[in-house]
Amino acid sequence: LESILEIPLSTLYEDSKAWYNMIQPVHLPELAKGKKKMINGQSFQWIYRINSGSGTTKWLLEEVVPRLDDHGQITNIFGLVTDITYEIEKEHTINYLSNYDNLTGLPNQQSLFKKMDLMCESDDPYAILYFDLDRFNIINDSLGYFIGDETLKFTAQRLEKIMPKESYLARLSSNDFIMIIKNYNNKKEVLQYAKKVIKKIREPFTIQDYELNISTSIGITFYPEEGREKLTLLKNAHTALYKAKKDGKNTYKLSSDD
């Protein structure tokens, strides 16, 4: 117990609240419920965080088992405390990697699909912008994948900085990004934003002494009038993106365009 809490056992004997004071406040209501169970002769188990004696945060699993006499009175209380910090952090890492892109830190395709499924349950309108970096393969082929990866990270940061409020940005794959925009006044506002993105992406930047100039093409579609299901919407946006590419790149097209 001394190694888990990182305080001397003597401190626990001298200060009955020392352990309690280490528990992060968000977990205290659950502790109160557990104590009621124990008083009623029931066992309880809970997981909580503490700020250990060294100042580090730890996750603990505690099991408390009261021992009752023939009259139902508590005679002893047995407890087992296990440090499960490693297991919790590993679970968080796995969850993060399954929902976020490891390179850019943006939500990945799985997160995007979950988000769109939820949004498609509502009638609230939103726009989907499908971004693709033009001729990105040239950067990878001529300067190497490290420069290509840094370009993707830089682009993601640029997009995040100019995202409208309550919008959502994900990396779909390779050099493809998806942005969902809500709460716009009209479609013209979305198109003005697309122009802003195209202009911003065109600004030169430097990675390891290489001055890079890239551009983006954008396909745009709108929910619910141009689709009520995520795959339909993404297909429509991708079709519009293809039109933008075909039209010379560094531009945007709507899925409703002929």
Side-chain angles (χ1 to χ4, degrees):
L1 188 60
E2 191 173 40
S3 63
I4 292 176
L5 301 179
E6 297 184 275
I7 59 173
L9 285 178
S10 58
T11 301
L12 294 176
Y13 292 127
E14 294 167 3
D15 182 359
S16 61
K17 288 192 174 182
W19 189 344
Y20 178 87
N21 290 334
M22 297 171 76
I23 299 171
Q24 294 193 2
V26 69
H27 301 290
L28 295 179
E30 189 177 355
L31 173 61
K33 291 179 182 178
K35 283 184 175 180
K36 287 182 180 180
K37 283 187 175 182
M38 184 188 67
I39 292 172
N40 291 326
Q42 298 175 281
S43 303
F44 76 93
Q45 179 186 90
W46 67 309
I47 294 174
Y48 60 98
R49 285 170 295 173
I50 64 165
N51 297 318
S52 71
S54 68
T56 59
T57 298
K58 290 188 174 184
W59 285 90
L60 304 185
L61 166 64
E62 184 173 353
E63 299 176 86
V64 179
V65 181
R67 184 174 181 178
L68 309 178
D69 61 18
D70 294 338
H71 303 289
Q73 300 298 312
I74 298 175
T75 58
N76 303 90
I77 298 174
F78 299 94
L80 176 65
V81 179
T82 308
D83 184 349
I84 59 170
T85 304
Y86 173 78
E87 289 78 3
I88 292 291
E89 290 180 348
K90 183 178 180 181
E91 181 181 341
H92 285 175
T93 299
I94 292 172
N95 181 63
Y96 177 84
L97 292 176
S98 66
N99 289 286
Y100 291 88
D101 174 49
N102 196 36
L103 178 66
T104 63
L106 295 177
N108 59 15
Q109 178 176 295
Q110 179 170 296
S111 290
L112 172 66
F113 282 6
K114 290 178 182 177
K115 178 73 172 180
M116 292 185 69
D117 280 337
L118 287 173
M119 295 184 70
C120 286
E121 292 176 1
S122 167
D123 287 328
D124 295 335
Y126 61 86
I128 293 179
L129 280 67
Y130 198 132
F131 303 90
D132 178 89
L133 300 184
D134 300 324
R135 303 182 184 89
F136 177 73
N137 62 304
I138 295 176
I139 295 177
N140 279 335
D141 294 343
S142 60
L143 301 179
Y145 287 100
F146 175 79
I147 300 298
D149 286 349
E150 291 300 305
T151 298
L152 290 172
K153 289 195 285 186
F154 186 83
T155 300
Q157 291 166 5
R158 267 189 170 174
L159 290 172
E160 285 184 300
K161 287 178 181 178
I162 60 173
M163 286 170 60
K165 290 182 179 179
E166 296 187 45
S167 56
Y168 176 91
L169 178 64
R171 183 187 177 201
L172 188 59
S173 62
S174 185
N175 56 314
D176 290 346
F177 298 87
I178 299 290
M179 185 179 291
I180 299 175
I181 300 178
K182 303 189 299 180
N183 299 330
Y184 48 87
N185 294 316
N186 50 60
K187 291 183 179 180
K188 184 178 180 180
E189 190 176 294
V190 175
L191 304 187
Q192 288 297 325
Y193 175 74
K195 292 178 182 178
K196 179 180 178 179
V197 170
I198 290 170
K199 182 179 180 181
K200 188 67 177 178
I201 295 297
R202 284 292 292 171
E203 294 178 3
F205 58 96
T206 302
I207 296 177
Q208 287 196 345
D209 297 326
Y210 293 106
E211 184 174 290
L212 302 177
N213 293 272
I214 61 174
S215 62
T216 185
S217 299
I218 307 174
I220 305 173
T221 195
F222 293 91
Y223 172 89
E225 56 266 49
E226 292 166 19
R228 300 194 65 95
E229 194 271 331
K230 66 174 182 288
L231 296 181
T232 301
L233 290 163
L234 290 173
K235 180 182 177 181
N236 289 342
H238 187 266
T239 299
L241 170 65
Y242 178 77
K243 294 176 185 175
K245 292 279 191 182
K246 192 176 180 180
D247 200 39
K249 304 180 176 62
N250 193 38
T251 188
Y252 69 85
K253 288 292 180 181
L254 304 175
S255 61
S256 57
D257 289 341
D258 293 332

